[in-house]
Amino acid sequence: MLNHIFDSHAHYDDEAFTQDRHEIIKQMHKQGVCRLINVGANIVRSKESIALAAQYPFIYASVGIHPCDVKDAPCDYIQQLELLVKQPKVVAVGEIGLDYHYEDNAPREVQMTFFEAQLQLAKQYKLPVIIHDREAHGDTLDLLKKHKPTGVVHCFSGSVEMANEIIKLGMYIGLGGAVTFKNARTPIAVATAIPVEYMVLETDAPYMTPVPFRGKRCNSAMIIHTAEHIANARSEQGNHINTQELLDITRNNATKLFKVPLEDSYDNNVRVR
Ligand code: NI
């Protein structure tokens, strides 16, 4: 059985899991998911991420205001986040960033203000960031170059050239179900071009379900299919790697990035860092 699955980005607080959240979490842990970062999108969901991390030794939390949630954020969001980053098992600030896809999102300047304030918060608390960049590659890269955080650009959708720019900054590239989509050539091109030392795997569960489960709700155990797809594509190009090796390397990368222990710590009150 394949194991050592580290899902660097999932949302088990999502309402898609209301009916069976705890069964799914327990089941995928048995299926080899050894670590996952539950990523917050606003204040309430960040608190829910912390609650999940408190309940399950293998889950860690990230807190932040997603660019699509900027328009509904409270004025004192930085003060509120500042309380949350100090909670046990909070290992990152995110997801934060820019989303120029939806017209009803906050204006670009407002999104950038929130993004920069949260990049500064992360720096202040020496935490990595989890970046959301949708159709905002230029501004995202500019702000990452300006603030030089540690972290990952999640669900990476830019070009190979942009991926290399991100890696030059010392940041990681987060790859998920999109690498398995037949109509999306860029994600798999990135997945085969970048050094594996800078790759982490993710699901974005309940979204971005990989082939062959398209149309179903995503969960972290499905990362195996993403990993298999990347390993096969790299092997075809002569960079031989098998699925388990890729799972091991990306787990080690994520462990280093988020400074989480390889083994479960059953004392949830101890802040791991
Ligand atoms: Ni997400």
Side-chain angles (χ1 to χ4, degrees), residues 160 173 175 179 186-196 199 230 233-234:
V160 171
I173 302 295
L175 296 171
V179 302
T186 317
I188 192 66
V190 168
T192 52
I194 63 170
V196 281
M199 187 188 296
I230 295 174
R234 289 183 76 101

Side-chain angles (χ1 to χ4, degrees), residues 9-11 39-41 66 95 130 132 154-155 202-205 207:
H9 193 116
H11 304 282
V39 183
H66 189 290
E95 52 188 290
I130 297 173
H132 172 104
H154 119 82
C155 194
E202 63 173 54
T203 55
D204 209 12
Y207 311 107

Side-chain angles (χ1 to χ4, degrees), residues 211-225:
V211 174
F213 299 112
R214 298 295 294 151
K216 295 209 177 95
R217 185 182 61 177
C218 185
N219 76 70
S220 302
M222 293 179 185
I223 274 194
I224 285 172
H225 298 276

Side-chain angles (χ1 to χ4, degrees), residues 115-117 119-120 123 142-149:
F115 187 18
E116 292 203 79
L119 286 169
Q120 279 160 359
K123 188 152 275 181
D142 284 348
L143 291 179
L144 293 179
K145 281 181 178 165
K146 180 177 167 189
H147 291 273
K148 299 190 174 62

